[in-house]
Amino acid sequence: MKLFGSSGTRGVVGESLTPEFVLRVAKAAGTVWNADRVAIARDTRTTGEMFVNAAMSGLASVGVDVDDLGVVPTPAAVKYCENQRVPGVVITASHNPPEFNGVKLVGDDGVELAVEELERIEDHILAEEFDVAAWDGVGATRTVETVNDDYREELLASIDREAIADANLTVALDPGHGAGSLVTPDFLRELGCEVRTVNAQPDGHFPGRQSEPVPENLRDLERLVRATDADVGIAHDGDADRAVFVDEHGDSISGEASLAALAAAALEPGDVTVSAVNVSQRLVDVCDEVGADLELTPIGATNLITRIRELWREGETVPVAGEGNGGVFFPNYRLVRDGAYIAAKFLELVAERPASEIVAPYQGYYNVRINLGYTEEAELTAMLNAADEYAQSADATPNTTDGYRLDYGDAWVLVRPSGTEPKVRVYAEGRSETRATELAEDAADALRAAVKDL
């Protein structure tokens, strides 16, 4: 696809993402869906209201009524779409910096659109084929104000509240100024937790920390855990479809380790789990121990969702899936990454034993990620050509499901272009930090040299 990546379409506001473009996306989606009504939601980004207005105009112009949900977590918007049987447009750039925004499209079943439907919408955008309504047939807009409350109530009904409440947990929470600020603090309190917060004021500038909940952005949360003697720390990204954790000592837990722990608790022999091609050996080991199968896809929520649905059609059971960035699916609950639900499922484990013990079996791995930005298409092409040459000359057979993954037995490295940003990402994992760093830097150096030679 030219316009849609691994999780919708995103870009820097005013450059690759403009109101005019969002207008066209909405017109195309409204045309393809042929729905009477569409929901629109956004995260806290300062440009969100502008793009919501553009999307509402586009939908109205093709005769579609709009339910304006306001600022809500993406999983809350998805829940609304499923319950109301309406498709949805979510204005969010998830974990990207504040200058970014984006568009995510959701079907009337409450699931992000599969690749095939995104391609249909993309074709209408590129061809500018829209079913524009007459003056007396344009859509109307209504405001829906109960979405966050309804979402929280459903969360509460889906979690073992008694087990969590009985544990008398103190939780440190960092919603990162995102949409989760409006739901997760109250949700955790209603689960019976003592909640201490940082960066919990909705603010699309993300003044306290950047939206991506990676360890280098979680120093405030780590300090809060130590200062309050909390049992666990929880952090979200901008649209709260991820949750990552800090243990009771104030040490960040890698998303790969928490995914492995959650998978170990959910999987049974004969089950299937789905992850992306950058999957950690941690999850591979869990599947081997449990007797479950692991299916790999290209990186991105859309690809995981597509494969989970295929497995369902084949009669397989998929109780958990996800990537090591804090985005975990519990498909039997809902086929969406849900940061608040992920957090609660981890709390169910913490209610039984300390967070550090939960992830201890999955701590003997080291991960490195290097981002190589580009400003011109020629730079991207040069890096991808260099990645191909690097893979072909390596002492390992490349897996080309998504980019180039090289497995060396004790470690692996993956090179792939980002689906959401103008970057090529280099991932590596090893049993030692030195080994992982050496692999990542060696591959990255090959790509840097190719750009330098332009």
Side-chain angles (χ1 to χ4, degrees):
M1 292 184 290
K2 297 179 180 179
L3 303 179
F4 293 100
S6 57
S7 187
T9 182
R10 299 178 194 161
V12 175
V13 175
E15 297 178 10
S16 55
L17 191 79
T18 64
E20 293 81 4
F21 174 71
V22 173
L23 179 86
R24 292 168 59 210
V25 171
K27 291 172 71 174
T31 298
V32 169
W33 283 330
N34 193 30
D36 295 329
R37 192 159 53 101
V38 170
I40 290 187
R42 64 183 178 95
D43 65 19
T44 58
R45 290 168 190 273
T46 58
T47 57
E49 186 173 1
M50 174 179 71
F51 288 121
V52 163
N53 290 336
M56 288 195 297
S57 295
L59 289 166
S61 73
V62 294
V64 177
D65 291 338
V66 175
D67 291 352
D68 182 5
L69 311 187
V71 177
V72 302
T74 290
V78 165
K79 171 194 173 297
Y80 182 87
C81 290
E82 179 184 9
N83 290 351
Q84 296 293 315
R85 304 303 300 176
V86 297
V89 177
V90 183
I91 303 298
T92 178
S94 186
H95 64 279
N96 291 120
E99 64 270 23
F100 281 77
N101 216 323
V103 183
K104 185 178 294 187
L105 301 177
V106 179
D108 62 8
D109 57 354
V111 179
E112 290 181 39
L113 296 190
V115 172
E116 300 78 29
E117 192 161 7
L118 287 174
E119 288 176 340
R120 289 179 59 207
I121 291 172
E122 187 172 284
D123 288 343
H124 279 262
I125 296 170
L126 296 173
E128 297 197 10
E129 295 177 348
F130 313 123
D131 293 338
V132 178
W135 69 270
D136 57 352
V138 299
T141 299
R142 67 167 184 150
T143 301
V144 182
E145 298 179 342
T146 61
V147 175
N148 283 332
D149 289 340
D150 293 342
Y151 164 59
R152 193 177 69 251
E153 288 299 319
E154 183 175 277
L155 284 168
L156 289 167
S158 305
I159 295 297
D160 190 345
R161 297 174 66 177
E162 184 175 351
I164 294 172
D166 287 348
N168 295 315
L169 299 176
T170 297
V171 177
L173 173 67
D174 181 353
H177 302 292
S181 304
L182 302 176
V183 175
T184 304
D186 287 340
F187 169 54
L188 296 179
R189 291 186 180 105
E190 290 180 86
L191 285 176
C193 300
E194 186 74 21
V195 181
R196 299 288 182 263
T197 62
V198 64
N199 302 320
Q201 304 78 28
D203 190 331
H205 293 94
F206 306 124
R209 73 160 169 88
Q210 289 295 300
S211 182
E212 188 169 16
V214 291
E216 55 266 31
N217 292 337
L218 300 182
R219 302 310 178 206
D220 287 345
L221 180 60
E222 293 172 350
R223 285 190 287 268
L224 182 61
V225 168
R226 298 186 188 105
T228 61
D229 197 26
D231 295 286
V232 67
I234 299 169
H236 291 318
D237 58 340
D239 66 335
D241 68 349
R242 300 187 193 182
V244 299
F245 305 97
V246 172
D247 72 17
E248 73 277 12
H249 304 300
D251 297 324
S252 289
I253 296 171
S254 72
E256 290 86 359
S258 57
L259 171 60
L262 290 165
L267 289 171
E268 295 182 357
D271 287 343
V272 182
T273 187
V274 180
S275 192
V277 69
N278 62 338
V279 64
S280 169
Q281 188 66 31
R282 299 166 174 88
L283 186 58
V284 176
D285 292 346
V286 167
C287 290
D288 289 343
E289 292 169 7
V290 171
D293 292 328
L294 173 62
E295 294 274 341
L296 297 185
T297 73
I299 291 173
T302 300
N303 299 308
L304 270 70
I305 289 169
T306 298
R307 185 57 185 146
I308 291 168
R309 289 176 129 176
E310 291 172 350
L311 289 165
W312 278 346
R313 288 193 290 269
E314 296 168 10
E316 301 288 354
T317 301
V318 189
V320 65
E323 298 174 280
N325 57 11
V328 183
F329 292 89
F330 292 90
N332 294 335
Y333 166 66
R334 177 166 283 115
L335 192 51
V336 63
R337 300 181 301 190
D338 188 326
Y341 187 82
I342 298 164
K345 295 302 288 184
F346 197 75
L347 288 180
E348 290 180 354
L349 303 181
V350 175
E352 298 179 355
R353 55 194 173 121
S356 61
E357 291 184 14
I358 293 168
V359 299
Y362 318 110
Q363 295 290 65
Y365 307 79
Y366 296 86
N367 293 86
V368 176
R369 186 177 80 174
I370 299 172
N371 294 320
L372 302 175
Y374 60 88
T375 57
E376 300 176 0
E377 196 69 21
E379 294 175 337
L380 172 60
T381 299
M383 285 195 282
L384 294 182
N385 288 339
D388 182 70
E389 293 176 7
Y390 182 85
Q392 298 305 323
S393 64
D395 188 23
T397 301
N399 179 321
T400 57
T401 299
D402 182 7
Y404 301 88
R405 175 172 170 138
L406 302 168
D407 281 284
Y408 294 95
D410 67 322
W412 57 264
V413 63
L414 168 69
V415 180
R416 68 175 288 276
S418 169
T420 59
E421 299 178 83
K423 296 176 181 178
V424 174
R425 303 195 194 278
V426 181
Y427 306 82
E429 181 179 68
R431 290 287 187 169
S432 74
E433 189 171 7
T434 299
R435 175 68 164 146
T437 300
E438 287 176 349
L439 278 176
E441 288 292 351
D442 190 51
D445 284 345
L447 274 60
R448 293 184 185 113
V451 173
K452 187 176 181 180
D453 290 340
L454 285 177

